[in-house]
Amino acid sequence: LSMGVRLPVTEHFLVRAFEAWIHTDDIGRALGLAVPPPPGEHLGRLVGLAVRILDGALGTEAPPVLFAIRGGQAWVLGSQSDPVAAELTLDPVDFCLLVGGRYAPDVVPRNATGDAAAVRNVLERAASLSWL
């Protein structure tokens, strides 16, 4: 189990990679050194894992939000039977930093339209997933 969710062994390695990157970034910031994000393919896998966990944490009763990663995929999070209440787009690195507890939900850079409460719910739930 990781973050209260049963994951395949391969995804446990992704969780460890996520942790290593976030903590390396912490050290870099403390030393004034820029730490690049993971390569695009790897970053995409980290985002995909975080989105799956976030969707499960939101559950099927949450107002549906079309969630997109800038330059990447989009998912409907929350209820699949109601019309989309809002749209939310984040940069992939910013999303990972939010999930990693390095951004507060009210300050993470984003583009959002629609129901502000539904957007806030997604952002707050994402930040609450911080396992780092």
Side-chain angles (χ1 to χ4, degrees), residues 31-99:
L31 297 174
L33 301 171
V35 174
E41 177 186 339
H42 299 169
L43 185 59
R45 293 184 71 192
L46 299 178
V47 165
L49 173 63
V51 167
R52 285 192 304 280
I53 293 168
L54 173 58
D55 192 36
L58 285 166
T60 58
E61 300 301 314
V65 172
L66 179 62
F67 176 69
I69 292 297
R70 196 168 292 120
Q73 291 183 275
W75 303 264
V76 174
L77 303 177
S79 171
Q80 300 294 308
S81 59
D82 295 319
V84 168
E87 295 183 13
L88 172 63
T89 303
L90 295 175
D91 175 84
V93 171
D94 291 340
F95 174 61
C96 288
L97 292 173
L98 174 68
V99 171

Side-chain angles (χ1 to χ4, degrees), residues 1-19 46 49-50 52-54 56-57 99 128-132:
L1 287 177
S2 183
M3 300 157 289
V5 177
R6 184 169 299 284
L7 298 174
V9 170
T10 55
E11 290 190 350
H12 281 281
F13 289 114
L14 279 177
V15 169
R16 296 298 171 248
F18 195 109
E19 292 171 345
L46 299 178
L49 173 63
R52 285 192 304 280
I53 293 168
L54 173 58
V99 171
S128 77
L129 295 177
S130 177
W131 62 84
L132 308 175

Side-chain angles (χ1 to χ4, degrees), residues 54 58 98 104-106 117-130:
L54 173 58
L58 285 166
L98 174 68
D106 56 336
V119 168
R120 186 172 47 256
N121 184 44
V122 169
L123 294 172
E124 289 176 354
R125 191 59 58 96
S128 77
L129 295 177
S130 177

